[in-house]
C-alpha cells in the first residue's frame, strides 16, 4: 500500500502548489488587467500561412530582377528630365508618402495639388530636393511586395476570383447589423443618420490573394515594372544629378507601368487604393484608406492551426476597420460637441489605464518595464481606440446572434486579444500601447462585467452609466446578450406547438377545413413582408454589389415560391386546418 500513500502525498503537494498559484496577489486577473490575464496563458497563435514582408527588418534585396529580353539599345542617350514626367513622379510620390505615414495623407495630397500649379523648372527643382534625402527603402516597397506576391500566389494555388463570397458574406452581415444599429439606436436626426449610413454603405473591402489573384496579371505587372526600370536606365545619361537621386525617381516612374495593368484589372477600387493594396499585399497590414479596406489573411493567420481563433480575429479586424469610416483623422461631420464629448470619454479611459500601468511588472516579460511619461500622451491616436471600442461592440452584437453560450463569447474575446500579445513590442506605429488600448476596449464591452464577474473596485469594472457612447447611441446591455435559441427556448416552443395543435383539433371539430384562395394569397403576402423585414431594408441590401445581385436572385426564388403556393392553394381544399397551421409554424421555426 506504500504506493497508494505516496500517490496521495503527491496529489496533496500538487494541490497545495496550485492553491499557492491561485492565491498569488500579483497574478493577473481578468478584472484587474485583462490584457496580461490573456497573454499569460499558453498562446495558440500558430504561424501565418505565408511569411510576411517586414519593412522594419529590410529582409529583401533592393535589386530589380533582370532577364535577357530586358536588354535595350537606345539610339541616343537623354538627360533625365528629357525622359521623365514630373507630374507622374509627384502623383505616385503621394502614395509612397501615404504608405510611410498614412496619418498625414491629406498633407501629402495637398502637396501634390500645389505641385501641379508650378511651372516646369520649379517642379523639377522641387522633386530633386525631395529625393535627395528620401528613404530608398520606402520606394522599394512597391516592387518588393509585388515580387513577393507573385511567389505567394505560386505557392497558394488559390482559385482565380474577383470576389470571395465567404468573407464578403461575413462582412455584409456586419455592415447590415451596424446600419440597423445606427438606424434604431442613434439619437441623431434622420438626415444625420442617413449621412452615417450612406458612408457605411460605400465602404468596400478586398482580401489579398483571395481576390483579384490572377497570377498572370501579377506577373505581367512585375515584368512591366522591371522592363521600364531597365529601359530608363539604358536611355538616361544624367551627369548633373546624383545617381542615387536618379535611381529613386526611376523606381517611382516604373510604378506607373505596373499600375496601368492593375488599374485595368482591379476596376472596383480607386487607383490610390490599388497602389496601397499592392504595396501591402505581402505584408501583415490591414487598413481602411478613405473607406476602402485591405484585410490581410494569409500573411497574418493560418486557418489550419486554429480555425476558431482565426475566425474571431478576422471578424474583429473587419469590425475595427469598418468603424474607421467614422473614426479617423477627419473632423466630425456634424454636432461637433457630441463627437468631442464621446472622444473625451475615450481619452479619460486611456489616461486611467495608462496611469494604472505606468510602472508594472508583466509576468511574461523580463525585466520590469519603466515607462516614460511621454509615452502616455494618448489623445493623438485615440481614433484607433474609438474604432477598437465600437468595433468590439459590433463584433459582440454579431456573436450574440450566433451562440447562447457565455463561455463561447469569452473564448471569442480572448482569441481576439491573444492576437495582440507581443512579448517585446507593446506599441505599434500610430497606435497607443497595446495593453492600455485593449484594456480600454474590452472594459467598454456592455457584458464584460457579467462575463468575468467584475465588481466595483476592480480596475476593469465600468458602471453601466459610465460607458463611453458612440455615434450618439445609448447602450442597452440587453442588446448584447446572446439571442440564439437553445434547448430551454425550444422546450417553450414545443409547448406552444401543442397549444396550436389543440386549437387545430378544435377547429377541425367545427368543420372549418377549407381555406379560400384569397385568404391563402393574403397569408403568402404577409410572409413575403416578413421575409423582406428579415432580409433587411433596402439600404442594408445595398451594402455591397454582390448583395444587390443576390437579392435579385432571391426575388426570383420568391416569385417561384408564390406560384408554387398558388398551385398548392388550388389543391388544398381537402387539407385540414391543423396540417397547414403546423406546416406554416414549422417553416417559421426554420
Amino acid at each position: 500500500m506504500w504506493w497508494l500513500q505516496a500517490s496521495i502525498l503527491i496529489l496533496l503537494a500538487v494541490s497545495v502548489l496550485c492553491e499557492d498559484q491561485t492565491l498569488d496577489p500579483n497574478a493577473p486577473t481578468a478584472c484587474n488587467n485583462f490584457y496580461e490575464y490573456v497573454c499569460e496563458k499558453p498562446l495558440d497563435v500558430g504561424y501565418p500561412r505565408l511569411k510576411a514582408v517586414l519593412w522594419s527588418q529590410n529582409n529583401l534585396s533592393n535589386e530589380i530582377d533582370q532577364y535577357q529580353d530586358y536588354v535595350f539599345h537606345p539610339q541616343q542617350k537623354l538627360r533625365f528630365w528629357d525622359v521623365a514626367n514630373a507630374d507622374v513622379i509627384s502623383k505616385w510620390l503621394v502614395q509612397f508618402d501615404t504608405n510611410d505615414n498614412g496619418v498625414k495623407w491629406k498633407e501629402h495630397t495637398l502637396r501634390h495639388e500645389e505641385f501641379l500649379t508650378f511651372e516646369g523648372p520649379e517642379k523639377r527643382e522641387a522633386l530633386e530636393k525631395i529625393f535627395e534625402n528620401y528613404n530608398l527603402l520606402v520606394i522599394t516597397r512597391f516592387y518588393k511586395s509585388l515580387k513577393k506576391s507573385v511567389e505567394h500566389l505560386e505557392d497558394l494555388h488559390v482559385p482565380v476570383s474577383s470576389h470571395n463570397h465567404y468573407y464578403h458574406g461575413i462582412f455584409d452581415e456586419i455592415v447590415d447589423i451596424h446600419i440597423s444599429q445606427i438606424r434604431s439606436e442613434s439619437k441623431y436626426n434622420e438626415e444625420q443618420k442617413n449621412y452615417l449610413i450612406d458612408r457605411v454603405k460605400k465602404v468596400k473591402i478586398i482580401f489579398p490573394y483571395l481576390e483579384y489573384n490572377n497570377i498572370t496579371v501579377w506577373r505581367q505587372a512585375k515584368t512591366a515594372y522591371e522592363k521600364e526600370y531597365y529601359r530608363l536606365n539604358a536611355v538616361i545619361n544624367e551627369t548633373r544629378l546624383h545617381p542615387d537621386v536618379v535611381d529613386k525617381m526611376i523606381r517611382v516612374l516604373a510604378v506607373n507601368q505596373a499600375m496601368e495593368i492593375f488599374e485595368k484589372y482591379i476596376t472596383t477600387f480607386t487607383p490610390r487604393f490599388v497602389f496601397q493594396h499592392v504595396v501591402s499585399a505581402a505584408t501583415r497590414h490591414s487598413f481602411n484608406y478613405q473607406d476602402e479596406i485591405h484585410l490581410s489573411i494569409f500573411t497574418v493567420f493560418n486557418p489550419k492551426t486554429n480555425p476558431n481563433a482565426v475566425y474571431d480575429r478576422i471578424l474583429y479586424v473587419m469590425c475595427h476597420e469598418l468603424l474607421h469610416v467614422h473614426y479617423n483623422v477627419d473632423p466630425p461631420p456634424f454636432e461637433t460637441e457630441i463627437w468631442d464629448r464621446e472622444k473625451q470619454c475615450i481619452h479619460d479611459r486611456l489616461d486611467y489605464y495608462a496611469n494604472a500601468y505606468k510602472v508594472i511588472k508583466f509576468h511574461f516579460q523580463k525585466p520590469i518595464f519603466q515607462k516614460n511619461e511621454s509615452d502616455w500622451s494618448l489623445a493623438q491616436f485615440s481614433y484607433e481606440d474609438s474604432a477598437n471600442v465600437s468595433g468590439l461592440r459590433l463584433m459582440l452584437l454579431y456573436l450574440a446572434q450566433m451562440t447562447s453560450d457565455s463561455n463561447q463569447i469569452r473564448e471569442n474575446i480572448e482569441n481576439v486579444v491573444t492576437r495582440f500579445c507581443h512579448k517585446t513590442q507593446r506599441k505599434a506605429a500610430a497606435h497607443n500601447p497595446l495593453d492600455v488600448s485593449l484594456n480600454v476596449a474590452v472594459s467598454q464591452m456592455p457584458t464584460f462585467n457579467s462575463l468575468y464577474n467584475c465588481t466595483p473596485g476592480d480596475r476593469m469594472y465600468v458602471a453601466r452609466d459610465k460607458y463611453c457612447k458612440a455615434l450618439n447611441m445609448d447602450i442597452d446591455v440587453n442588446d448584447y446578450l446572446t439571442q440564439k435559441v437553445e434547448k430551454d427556448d425550444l422546450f417553450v416552443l414545443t409547448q406552444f406547438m401543442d397549444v396550436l395543435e389543440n386549437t387545430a383539433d378544435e377547429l377541425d371539430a367545427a368543420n372549418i377545413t377549407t381555406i379560400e384562395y384569397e385568404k391563402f394569397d393574403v397569408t403568402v403576402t404577409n410572409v413575403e413582408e416578413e421575409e423582406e423585414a428579415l432580409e433587411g431594408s433596402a439600404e442594408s441590401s445595398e451594402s455591397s454589389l454582390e448583395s444587390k445581385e443576390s437579392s435579385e436572385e432571391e426575388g426570383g426564388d420568391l416569385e417561384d415560391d408564390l406560384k408554387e403556393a398558388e398551385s398548392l392553394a388550388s389543391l388544398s381544399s381537402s387539407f385540414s386546418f391543423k396540417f397547414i397551421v403546423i406546416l406554416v409554424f414549422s417553416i417559421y421555426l426554420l
Side-chain angles (χ1 to χ4, degrees):
M1 296 295 289
W2 64 268
W3 57 270
L4 181 59
Q5 294 174 343
S7 300
I8 294 173
L9 289 174
I10 291 172
L11 289 172
L12 287 172
V14 170
S15 65
V16 169
L17 288 173
C18 292
E19 286 180 7
D20 288 343
Q21 286 182 348
T22 57
L23 294 176
D24 179 4
N26 295 319
T29 65
C31 296
N32 181 50
N33 185 334
F34 189 78
Y35 179 84
E36 189 179 358
Y37 164 77
V38 172
C39 294
E40 269 212 337
K41 296 182 178 182
L43 301 184
D44 185 19
V45 179
Y47 293 101
R49 177 74 180 275
L50 301 174
K51 186 175 182 180
V53 175
L54 303 177
W55 304 134
S56 59
Q57 296 181 6
N58 189 29
N59 53 355
L60 294 178
S61 171
N62 294 332
E63 297 300 316
I64 310 296
D65 288 350
Q66 186 174 14
Y67 300 94
Q68 290 182 349
D69 61 339
Y70 291 1
V71 178
F72 299 94
H73 302 284
Q75 295 181 350
Q76 61 175 341
K77 296 280 188 175
L78 300 171
R79 303 287 296 275
F80 179 81
W81 290 116
D82 292 335
V83 178
N85 185 324
D87 291 348
V88 171
I89 296 175
S90 179
K91 169 187 174 182
W92 295 121
L93 181 61
V94 171
Q95 300 311 321
F96 280 112
D97 287 339
T98 299
N99 186 263
D100 189 46
N101 188 355
V103 175
K104 297 183 178 181
W105 70 268
K106 282 189 174 181
E107 296 178 26
H108 308 322
T109 303
L110 290 173
R111 194 270 312 156
H112 176 62
E113 292 174 354
E114 183 182 6
F115 174 88
L116 294 176
T117 65
F118 296 167
E119 296 296 329
E122 192 177 2
K123 289 180 179 179
R124 295 191 285 269
E125 183 180 351
L127 289 175
E128 290 169 9
K129 186 175 181 180
I130 289 173
F131 281 96
E132 282 179 4
N133 299 310
Y134 204 89
N135 188 350
L136 173 64
L137 296 180
V138 173
I139 298 174
T140 61
R141 290 177 182 178
F142 183 90
Y143 178 75
K144 287 178 179 177
S145 182
L146 175 55
K147 178 182 176 179
K148 199 66 178 177
S149 293
V150 172
E151 297 174 7
H152 285 336
L153 289 171
E154 289 173 346
D155 294 339
L156 286 172
H157 298 293
V158 289
V160 175
S161 172
S162 60
H163 187 90
N164 184 278
H165 292 275
Y166 174 72
Y167 286 114
H168 276 279
I170 297 174
F171 184 72
D172 290 345
E173 288 179 11
I174 293 170
V175 167
D176 289 343
I177 291 173
H178 186 47
I179 289 175
S180 176
Q181 186 185 25
I182 295 172
R183 184 70 76 192
S184 60
E185 303 297 333
S186 178
K187 291 184 177 179
Y188 287 128
N189 62 43
E190 287 303 312
E191 182 180 354
Q192 293 167 336
K193 288 195 285 190
N194 287 334
Y195 173 86
L196 296 174
I197 290 171
D198 288 342
R199 286 287 305 275
V200 173
K201 287 185 196 176
K202 293 176 182 177
V203 174
K204 292 182 282 188
I205 191 169
I206 192 170
F207 302 96
Y209 303 152
L210 286 170
E211 303 175 318
Y212 297 104
N213 54 2
N214 190 329
I215 192 172
T216 301
V217 176
W218 285 76
R219 283 199 188 109
Q220 289 173 349
K222 176 178 177 288
T223 300
Y225 181 100
E226 294 162 351
K227 283 187 174 182
E228 182 67 358
Y229 176 80
Y230 285 108
R231 184 189 74 82
L232 291 172
N233 271 285
V235 76
I236 290 172
N237 181 23
E238 180 59 63
T239 57
R240 184 179 64 84
L241 298 175
H242 193 282
D244 290 346
V245 173
V246 174
D247 182 66
K248 292 174 188 176
M249 290 195 286
I250 287 177
R251 289 173 185 262
V252 175
L253 282 169
V255 168
N256 202 56
Q257 297 300 312
M259 282 301 300
E260 285 182 357
I261 293 173
F262 279 121
E263 287 175 36
K264 293 177 182 177
Y265 179 49
I266 309 176
T267 57
T268 56
F269 293 84
T270 60
R272 65 177 178 241
F273 177 81
V274 174
F275 175 98
Q276 302 299 340
H277 169 64
V278 174
V279 174
S280 302
T283 73
R284 298 175 181 173
H285 299 160
S286 294
F287 54 86
N288 182 326
Y289 182 27
Q290 299 182 60
D291 300 342
E292 294 177 302
I293 297 173
H294 168 107
L295 200 156
S296 295
I297 302 291
F298 293 113
T299 54
V300 180
F301 309 105
N302 189 345
K304 292 185 177 180
T305 46
N306 190 338
N308 291 333
V310 169
Y311 175 81
D312 294 334
R313 293 162 193 167
I314 291 174
L315 184 63
Y316 169 70
V317 176
M318 278 187 189
C319 294
H320 173 91
E321 298 301 342
L322 174 62
L323 268 296
H324 271 310
V325 71
H326 310 300
Y327 305 112
N328 46 58
V329 296
D330 296 338
F334 44 73
E335 302 286 2
T336 303
E337 290 184 4
I338 295 177
W339 289 79
D340 287 346
R341 188 163 59 247
E342 294 176 353
K343 183 165 65 174
Q344 185 59 50
C345 182
I346 297 294
H347 290 179
D348 293 343
R349 300 312 299 170
L350 288 169
D351 289 341
Y352 172 78
Y353 286 106
N355 290 327
Y357 304 122
K358 277 183 181 178
V359 181
I360 185 168
K361 176 181 178 180
F362 295 103
H363 286 239
F364 60 94
Q365 293 184 328
K366 305 290 183 179
I368 296 174
F369 280 79
Q370 176 73 44
K371 300 183 178 179
N372 298 325
E373 295 291 333
S374 59
D375 292 339
W376 302 109
S377 299
L378 306 183
Q380 182 181 2
F381 303 122
S382 65
Y383 55 85
E384 290 289 349
D385 299 285
S386 294
N388 278 344
V389 169
S390 293
L392 201 54
R393 287 175 182 169
L394 180 57
M395 176 181 172
L396 194 59
L397 283 174
Y398 179 86
L399 292 173
Q401 300 180 14
M402 304 298 164
T403 182
S404 63
D405 186 357
S406 295
N407 290 327
Q408 182 62 55
I409 296 293
R410 280 193 289 268
E411 182 180 336
N412 297 139
I413 301 305
E414 291 177 21
N415 281 336
V416 169
V417 175
T418 301
R419 163 72 182 85
F420 301 97
C421 291
H422 294 285
K423 293 186 177 181
T424 58
Q425 181 66 32
R426 308 187 72 80
K427 194 167 187 291
H431 291 73
N432 287 320
L434 293 170
D435 52 333
V436 175
S437 186
L438 289 169
N439 278 337
V440 168
V442 172
S443 67
Q444 288 292 316
M445 288 169 45
T447 56
F448 180 79
N449 293 335
S450 59
L451 284 172
Y452 289 93
N453 297 318
C454 299
T455 57
D458 294 331
R459 280 179 176 167
M460 296 294 297
Y461 178 85
V462 178
R464 290 192 178 190
D465 60 342
K466 298 297 182 182
Y467 288 132
C468 294
K469 292 185 179 181
L471 304 181
N472 202 18
M473 293 187 289
D474 287 332
I475 297 174
D476 185 350
V477 176
N478 293 323
D479 293 341
Y480 297 85
L481 298 177
T482 54
Q483 308 295 321
K484 188 178 179 182
V485 175
E486 282 295 317
K487 292 181 180 179
D488 292 342
D489 304 298
L490 289 175
F491 176 73
V492 174
L493 290 174
T494 302
Q495 291 182 317
F496 183 62
M497 281 288 290
D498 291 340
V499 173
L500 282 177
E501 200 168 351
N502 294 334
T503 304
D505 289 336
E506 294 174 3
L507 291 172
D508 276 340
N511 292 322
I512 307 177
T513 57
T514 307
I515 298 180
E516 296 179 4
Y517 174 82
E518 291 78 3
K519 290 183 179 180
F520 190 82
D521 189 49
V522 171
T523 304
V524 172
T525 303
N526 291 338
V527 170
E528 180 183 4
E529 291 174 356
E530 291 177 8
E531 285 288 329
E532 290 178 351
L534 291 172
E535 291 296 329
S537 59
E539 62 261 26
S540 298
S541 65
E542 293 173 2
S543 59
S544 71
L545 294 174
E546 277 298 316
S547 60
K548 180 178 179 181
E549 294 173 2
S550 64
S551 66
E552 293 174 354
E553 294 174 1
E554 291 168 1
D557 293 340
L558 184 58
E559 184 177 353
D560 293 339
D561 291 341
L562 287 172
K563 292 179 179 178
E564 184 178 353
E566 292 172 2
S567 176
L568 287 172
S570 65
L571 298 173
S572 64
S573 59
S574 62
F575 287 163
S576 70
F577 183 78
K578 171 182 175 180
F579 176 79
I580 292 178
V581 168
I582 294 175
L583 178 63
V584 171
F585 192 76
S586 299
I587 294 173
Y588 173 77
L589 287 179
L590 292 175

